[in-house]
Amino acid sequence: MPKRDEGPLAERATYKAFHMVSTRWADNDQYGHINNAKFYEFVDSAVNSHLLIADALTESIGLVVDSGCRYTSSLKFPDVIEVGIKVDHVGTSSVNYGFAVFRRGANAPAAIGHFVHVYVDAETRRPKPLPERLRAVVENLKAD
């Protein structure tokens, strides 16, 4: 499996697409910042929005089989968030995504991480090759 790029803080230019997220009051936890689990929801929404807008979601289902996130600073309501996404590797039936979560306008990310989708048949749940349209869209998100 390819090495993950989670070393020094990534720059905005590393990411190929951005998705804006407006935080909600309910995203804050008892400590007054956005709960770490919400970051995964933001990233999931960013990737799926990108794929939906590109008409790249098909009968295949992308299952998350690996993920990780390193938090560097906190965010809180009413921050507006920009989720940067990129693709680090495209396999036969899998896509390794990299992401960073930024406060709108900030250069340094509040979180940086990765996750891997394995695309499977909706009925059998067995891996299947990426559909052509999906492969084209994720190839365009590959980091330079």
Side-chain angles (χ1 to χ4, degrees):
M1 190 171 283
K3 186 177 181 218
R4 305 269 182 332
D5 179 16
E6 293 179 49
L9 294 181
E11 297 178 8
R12 281 181 167 274
T14 304
Y15 299 91
K16 301 301 177 187
F18 285 86
H19 178 74
M20 298 276 269
V21 177
S22 294
T23 59
R24 304 165 306 161
W25 176 255
D27 295 333
N28 282 359
D29 62 17
Q30 68 185 23
Y31 303 113
H33 66 264
I34 294 176
N35 186 275
N36 60 316
K38 295 293 180 183
F39 282 74
Y40 283 105
E41 291 179 25
F42 300 152
V43 171
D44 189 49
S45 291
V47 169
N48 284 300
S49 291
H50 188 82
L51 296 177
L52 276 168
I53 291 166
D55 194 30
L57 289 181
T58 65
E59 68 283 349
S60 296
I61 297 171
L63 300 178
V64 176
V65 298
D66 181 39
S67 65
C69 187
R70 184 168 47 102
Y71 303 93
T72 59
S73 63
S74 63
L75 299 172
K76 63 183 180 179
F77 174 81
D79 287 337
V80 175
I81 295 169
E82 297 171 306
V83 178
I85 58 175
K86 65 179 180 164
V87 167
D88 294 321
H89 176 75
V90 179
T92 302
S93 61
S94 65
V95 180
N96 296 17
Y97 292 93
F99 67 83
V101 179
F102 298 87
R103 178 179 286 111
R104 183 172 52 187
N107 289 322
I112 183 172
H114 73 275
F115 72 96
V116 178
H117 268 162
V118 171
Y119 286 86
V120 300
D121 180 87
E123 294 200 15
T124 66
R125 295 294 204 252
R126 300 294 309 152
K128 64 185 277 188
L130 298 175
E132 189 175 313
R133 176 74 182 144
L134 176 61
R135 179 173 294 280
V137 170
V138 297
E139 287 284 352
N140 281 331
L141 290 173
K142 282 179 101 170
D144 296 327

